[in-house]
Amino acid sequence: MRTQVAIIGAGPAGLLLGQLLSRAGIDNVILERRSADYVLSRIRAGVLEQGMVDLLHEAGVGGRLDHEGLVHDGFSLAFNDALHRLDLKKLSGGKTVTVYGQTEVTRDLIEARQALGRPTVYEAENVALHHFDGPAPRVTFRTNGQEKELHCDFIAGCDGYHGIARASVPARSLQTFERVYPFGWLGLLVDKPPAAHELVYANHERGFALCSMRSAGRSRYYVQVPLGEKVEDWSDDAFFDELRRRLPAEVAGAVQTGPSLEKSIAPLRSFVAEPMRFGRLFLAGDAAHIVPPTGAKGLNLAASDIRYLFDAFREHYRDGSNAGLDGYSARALARVWKAERFSWWMTNLLHRFPERDGFDRRIQEAEFDYLVHSRAAATAVAENYVGLPY
Ligand code: APR
Ligand code: PHB
């Protein structure tokens, strides 16, 4: 087998790159370790920056997003019983975010790829990358009990944090930066209308809580829990009780409970691997970096990486220029680090840190008070939340 770009991983990053390349007439094959059903069963975040919405349109998958996506002009921050709305649209000069689940983005991209008849090998086993430091890279894998070999010009490592792409790079060529937070988020999905029309991020003595949504009839809630907590130990009732304790009364009173469709605990981590390019291997999305979910940046960073990487491939094939490929890592990392900073900052503002004391709590209070009273401070948050320019 031979292709121009071998894409490892059929998450949002890999699928979006595949779709953009296919529409530009650049041949590509996606290799995915899991089944399509498994990929579609993962519940993840879903707040899209305008840049990502535009990119999905460019990829030809903006139709359902336009119909079903919820455009949000703002969100609220709560501190104990105080509730403060940030008007994103006003503060950012007209920008908004769109609430549309990552699962839906993935579904749209899978369907679009099927419609174009482009190949995705699901349940590809033992994916291994070879010779990406030279002119003729190769990917080997096993499918339906057969060993296969894929020759290509380039490899795009879009296989997430636990993938094989980053792990294939010699340790001496890679520098990593990491922060692990001493808590996780317990999330619950329920078929009830959301407690508020917009997202509410809450800092409470008992810990962080978030009211989010997937649609007008489906809510997504989170509470901060200590590391090591087990999801089996949290009944739906216990979850909702804890959630309501952490929200201002007016929001808590509007929470509608029901049986959970899904409940899981996610750890919080900040991670960056540098550089994002090694010869003919390019990393994108979670394969290269992780942010804690607090700023809703994970999916959006995958999209901005793909924006830069797609432009670079197009320049290479169409214009015969390697400038985009050569500049990819520096360009992507400059944006990644700003999103890392914002996600880290929001995480620090809103969570209860077990090892910290009254001083840190007062600093959080002062930060919140500053946001409420300073337009400059609120503008800085809004500008980052809606997404820095590509
Ligand atoms: N071979 C082939 N595929 C692999 C391998 C492997 N060795 N390892 C992992 N994969 C696949 C995973 O099964 C997954 O489907 O790569 C895909 C990576 O997808 P994601 O983890 O979703 O990562 P990405 O596409 O970068 O998406 C960005 O945004 O909201 C955030 O973290 C969230 O996943 C989200 C991310
Ligand atoms: C979600 O809806 O799952 C969600 C929303 C905003 C975040 C994180 C997660 O910051």
Side-chain angles (χ1 to χ4, degrees), residues 8-15 31-34 38-39 42 44-46 102 124 127 158-165 284-287 290 297-300 302:
I8 318 300
L15 287 165
L31 304 177
E32 164 61 50
R33 185 168 55 153
R34 305 286 194 164
Y38 181 94
V39 169
R42 291 192 289 233
R44 299 236 174 105
Q102 178 171 324
V127 172
C158 303
D159 51 350
Y161 181 68
H162 299 287
I164 190 67
D286 278 16
I290 295 287
K297 290 290 165 233
L299 180 57
N300 291 298

Side-chain angles (χ1 to χ4, degrees), residues 17-131:
L17 177 63
Q19 185 65 10
L20 290 161
L21 290 174
S22 299
R23 286 167 62 94
I26 300 166
D27 196 54
N28 62 93
V29 173
I30 301 183
L31 304 177
E32 164 61 50
R33 185 168 55 153
R34 305 286 194 164
S35 68
D37 285 344
Y38 181 94
V39 169
L40 283 171
S41 69
R42 291 192 289 233
I43 307 285
R44 299 236 174 105
V47 176
L48 313 188
E49 298 170 353
Q50 190 57 48
M52 176 162 191
V53 170
D54 294 344
L55 191 58
L56 289 170
H57 276 110
E58 188 176 328
V61 291
R64 200 159 67 90
L65 167 65
D66 279 347
H67 267 98
E68 298 176 19
L70 307 170
V71 175
H72 283 199
D73 293 355
F75 70 86
S76 291
L77 288 172
F79 210 95
N80 294 330
D81 248 335
L83 192 61
H84 176 70
R85 179 170 187 268
L86 282 173
D87 191 326
L88 294 173
K89 195 169 183 180
K90 245 189 214 144
L91 290 163
S92 70
K95 295 192 183 140
T96 56
V97 292
T98 302
V99 171
Y100 189 67
Q102 178 171 324
T103 314
E104 307 311 317
V105 172
T106 309
R107 189 188 311 281
D108 294 344
L109 286 165
I110 288 178
E111 281 173 11
R113 189 167 179 86
Q114 271 165 0
L116 290 179
R118 311 305 294 205
T120 306
V121 181
Y122 285 100
E123 300 181 73
E125 296 168 61
N126 299 341
V127 172
L129 318 187
H130 311 273
H131 306 310

Side-chain angles (χ1 to χ4, degrees), residues 184-189 220-223 225-240 260-267:
W185 280 16
L186 169 63
L188 180 148
L189 192 68
R220 179 71 166 161
Y221 294 111
Y222 297 95
V223 292
V225 293
L227 277 186
E229 202 89 348
K230 292 202 173 57
V231 68
E232 305 82 71
D233 296 338
W234 282 86
S235 66
D236 292 353
D237 286 344
F239 177 92
F240 281 114
S260 57
L261 303 173
E262 194 261 3
K263 206 161 41 183
S264 55
I265 297 181

Side-chain angles (χ1 to χ4, degrees), residues 49 51 95 304 308 331 334-335 338 383-384 386-390:
E49 298 170 353
K95 295 192 183 140
S304 56
Y308 301 143
R331 204 173 164 207
R335 193 171 191 278
K338 289 186 203 84
E383 157 174 82
N384 282 277
V386 299
L388 295 174
Y390 280 9

Side-chain angles (χ1 to χ4, degrees), residues 99-181:
V99 171
Y100 189 67
Q102 178 171 324
T103 314
E104 307 311 317
V105 172
T106 309
R107 189 188 311 281
D108 294 344
L109 286 165
I110 288 178
E111 281 173 11
R113 189 167 179 86
Q114 271 165 0
L116 290 179
R118 311 305 294 205
T120 306
V121 181
Y122 285 100
E123 300 181 73
E125 296 168 61
N126 299 341
V127 172
L129 318 187
H130 311 273
H131 306 310
F132 51 80
D133 50 348
R138 240 167 7 102
V139 184
T140 54
F141 59 100
R142 212 177 145 75
T143 175
N144 293 325
Q146 282 185 305
E147 303 294 336
K148 298 271 182 180
E149 196 170 43
L150 177 62
H151 295 263
C152 55
D153 300 335
F154 301 103
I155 302 171
C158 303
D159 51 350
Y161 181 68
H162 299 287
I164 190 67
R166 192 182 70 252
S168 305
V169 176
R172 67 187 139 72
S173 308
L174 200 70
Q175 206 179 354
T176 60
F177 303 86
E178 189 170 39
R179 179 119 325 161
V180 177
Y181 301 88

